[in-house]
Amino acid sequence: MRLHWISNTLMAVTIAVLAALSSHLATRWAGALAYPFQLDATEGFILEQAMTIAQGQTIYGPIDRPPFLVGNYPPLFQAIYAGVNGSKASLWSLALGRRLTIASTILAALLMAAIVHRMTRALAPAILAAFLFLVSYEVHQWSAFVRVDMPALAFTLGGVFAFVSSKRRWSMALAGALLAAAVYTRQTAILAPAACAIALAIGDRRRLAWFLGPMLGIALAALAFLEWTSGGEFLRHIVAYNANRMDWGGWARLMKNEIWFFNRFLVVALAAMIAARLVRGREKPPEGGATNRRALAIYAILGAISLLSYAKVGAAPNYVLEPLAATAIWLCAGLGALLNGQGRRAHIAAIVVCALLLIHSGWCVTRQREMFSSPTPTAEDKRVAGELTQYLRGVDGDLMCEEPMFTLLAGRPILFDPFIMTTLAREAKWDQTAFVHMIEKQSFARIVTCENLAAPRPYYERYTELMADAVRRHYRIVGGAVLPGLGREYFIYEPAKSE
């Protein structure tokens, strides 16, 4: 009884600390909702895709002619966004998209708690799982962006919850349908479907068909439709154009400076949980059954393996979101099993894990500055970005803005995605000649970049050397703008002369 009281007290203090830290999200979200311009480089392109879908057009077109754009994600989130925003861009457009991602973040956390509670019937570990996810560098940064990652995770966790709650065939079919929706929100959301299918194949083959049937049926029907409507471009966009080279040196630095830096004690707690489960050996499965427990374990393992994809050029903290969620679910479900277990050994193991999680929460307190370092836009940022938008609206002709929200608010079409197309050009997957010719012919009335292309250097992040050279030869800088809160600078170019 005394050991049980110690573990419960440690867990209660941990939850209290993490709950207090989660208040940083409210500030982050409020700042994002009040700012009508881009916070992340991809938000404007996601909005453009939603607008294109609202107009009844495909977002997966050929890239050998303008517009030079890649639809690098499946279309489900953009379709939902289209239903909310419509076919035109406004100063409210990004706020509408951010509301969807914030709501998805909250829903994902609630579903994590629901999954753990369903497995353990214990409230405290369920709450702890949600806060372990919410109080993280990755969630603080990414949940404020109009991106597909949080909606995909919400669909995934909805499918996992339906899976572990399944007592009838229709709920297993629902799990498959939700997981298919996740894959058509973000194509890499295959970890949970694979984990559930493997767990069923090992221990419950009678329900495997009810899980795979709806999931594969929906997935294959959607694939056929999207391939047909895109003229065979859909898979090329979401697979071939996303298969970038790997940077293992950068991966090692990210593992050290992000994953280990923020989560070292969470990793140690995970190791302690693994050791505890190995020491206890075979035992009667907790409520939820052996198949559900096995599925969550496989999901966490696959999540850990997926961190290898963080080496991909262009990878960002969003690659950590699902592994973090899967790990927190398995860890807290295991903690609940220890608390529900019999014997002194189980309770001592629970105390060790709870103590390590309390240390993790304390580490988060000491690292608040780094963990919650994503900048919040200021009123000055909003004013400067608004003035730049007004300036571009008054310019006749096409625009090429590195942050395409400026292009959309000026009422012009987006013709080029700097980062993706530059990456494809460097990997010899796209011929940049036609775009370079557009620059040389001064097809853009204004070019707005976040890198100073007028200053020669051997490498630009979002432009090839040929693109930068063409800008230097045919354009001249006419101004700029600085966002002090976001630490961002824009360089504005106009044609050097009439040609």
Side-chain angles (χ1 to χ4, degrees), residues 77-156:
F77 172 70
Q78 296 91 316
I80 296 170
Y81 191 10
V84 173
N85 179 79
S87 61
K88 296 185 181 299
S90 72
L91 291 173
W92 290 101
S93 292
L94 291 182
L96 292 172
R98 288 169 187 153
R99 286 191 176 97
L100 291 175
T101 55
I102 291 169
S104 297
T105 303
I106 296 171
L107 178 58
L110 292 173
L111 285 166
M112 289 176 65
I115 292 166
V116 174
H117 188 264
R118 178 66 185 83
M119 292 295 296
T120 65
R121 296 301 181 189
L123 183 59
I127 297 172
L128 180 58
F131 281 121
L132 285 174
F133 174 71
L134 291 174
V135 182
S136 62
Y137 167 77
E138 294 80 14
V139 171
H140 183 266
Q141 183 183 44
W142 223 253
S143 61
F145 299 153
V146 184
R147 298 289 300 250
V148 303
D149 308 278
M150 289 302 186
L153 185 59
F155 277 124
T156 293

Side-chain angles (χ1 to χ4, degrees), residues 247-289:
D247 176 11
W248 294 108
W251 178 84
R253 289 189 295 273
L254 286 169
M255 290 299 104
K256 176 183 177 182
N257 298 330
E258 182 184 334
I259 305 300
W260 180 249
F261 179 80
F262 290 116
N263 301 300
R264 61 188 64 188
F265 295 108
L266 186 61
V267 172
V268 175
L270 181 64
M273 177 60 70
I274 293 172
R277 300 298 288 267
L278 291 175
V279 169
R280 295 187 72 196
R282 297 185 61 86
E283 58 184 12
K284 182 180 178 181
E287 186 172 349

Side-chain angles (χ1 to χ4, degrees), residues 180-494:
V183 172
Y184 277 90
T185 304
R186 193 174 194 271
Q187 64 270 42
T188 56
I190 59 174
L191 307 181
C196 294
I198 293 170
L200 288 172
I202 293 173
D204 195 352
R205 294 181 183 177
R206 290 180 299 176
R207 293 195 299 167
L208 182 60
W210 284 96
F211 174 72
L212 288 179
M215 183 173 67
L216 293 179
I218 292 171
L220 292 175
L223 175 61
F225 175 78
L226 290 167
E227 280 287 288
W228 173 62
T229 56
S230 67
E233 292 286 338
F234 171 67
L235 281 178
R236 189 175 291 117
H237 277 247
I238 70 163
V239 178
Y241 297 156
N242 265 301
N244 305 128
R245 67 179 180 85
M246 307 297 271
D247 176 11
W248 294 108
W251 178 84
R253 289 189 295 273
L254 286 169
M255 290 299 104
K256 176 183 177 182
N257 298 330
E258 182 184 334
I259 305 300
W260 180 249
F261 179 80
F262 290 116
N263 301 300
R264 61 188 64 188
F265 295 108
L266 186 61
V267 172
V268 175
L270 181 64
M273 177 60 70
I274 293 172
R277 300 298 288 267
L278 291 175
V279 169
R280 295 187 72 196
R282 297 185 61 86
E283 58 184 12
K284 182 180 178 181
E287 186 172 349
T291 298
N292 292 342
R293 187 176 61 171
R294 186 178 292 117
L296 294 184
I298 296 171
Y299 185 31
I301 292 169
L302 294 178
I305 294 172
S306 75
L307 288 174
L308 294 172
S309 66
Y310 211 171
K312 187 170 84 88
V313 171
N318 57 322
Y319 280 61
V320 181
L321 293 171
E322 188 171 10
L324 177 62
T327 299
I329 289 170
W330 183 82
L331 178 61
C332 291
L335 179 58
L338 291 176
L339 293 170
N340 292 334
Q342 301 295 321
R344 183 181 181 85
R345 182 178 295 177
H347 288 289
I348 291 175
I351 289 173
V352 171
V353 173
C354 287
L356 288 168
L357 291 176
L358 178 58
I359 295 172
H360 168 72
S361 68
W363 178 256
C364 292
V365 171
T366 66
R367 298 302 174 185
Q368 290 183 72
R369 183 175 180 180
E370 296 90 350
M371 182 171 284
F372 309 128
S373 59
S374 301
T376 298
T378 63
E380 179 66 8
D381 293 337
K382 186 175 180 180
R383 183 191 67 79
V384 172
E387 290 180 353
L388 178 56
T389 301
Q390 288 299 114
Y391 167 76
L392 294 172
R393 280 175 177 166
V395 174
D396 293 328
D398 287 329
L399 305 171
M400 202 293 287
C401 299
E402 187 171 318
E403 293 187 2
M405 190 61 185
F406 292 121
T407 306
L408 294 176
L409 290 175
R412 316 297 162 78
I414 299 175
L415 300 176
F416 180 68
D417 184 333
F419 180 75
I420 291 179
M421 302 313 298
T422 293
T423 301
L424 293 178
R426 286 176 173 151
E427 296 179 354
K429 295 179 180 178
W430 173 66
D431 184 355
Q432 63 182 311
T433 304
F435 177 67
V436 172
H437 284 167
M438 290 180 69
I439 298 174
E440 293 172 339
K441 292 188 297 183
Q442 299 180 337
S443 300
F444 303 107
R446 294 292 185 276
I447 294 176
V448 182
T449 69
C450 296
E451 295 181 90
N452 184 3
L453 303 184
R457 62 177 193 238
Y459 181 84
Y460 299 92
E461 183 180 0
R462 296 179 180 272
Y463 304 93
T464 66
E465 291 70 20
L466 284 176
M467 296 174 194
D469 180 66
V471 170
R472 282 194 297 273
R473 288 187 289 110
H474 298 279
Y475 285 79
R476 64 185 182 92
I477 289 184
V478 292
V482 176
L483 307 184
L486 293 175
R488 195 171 296 170
E489 184 174 7
Y490 302 110
F491 301 88
I492 307 170
Y493 309 81
E494 70 174 8

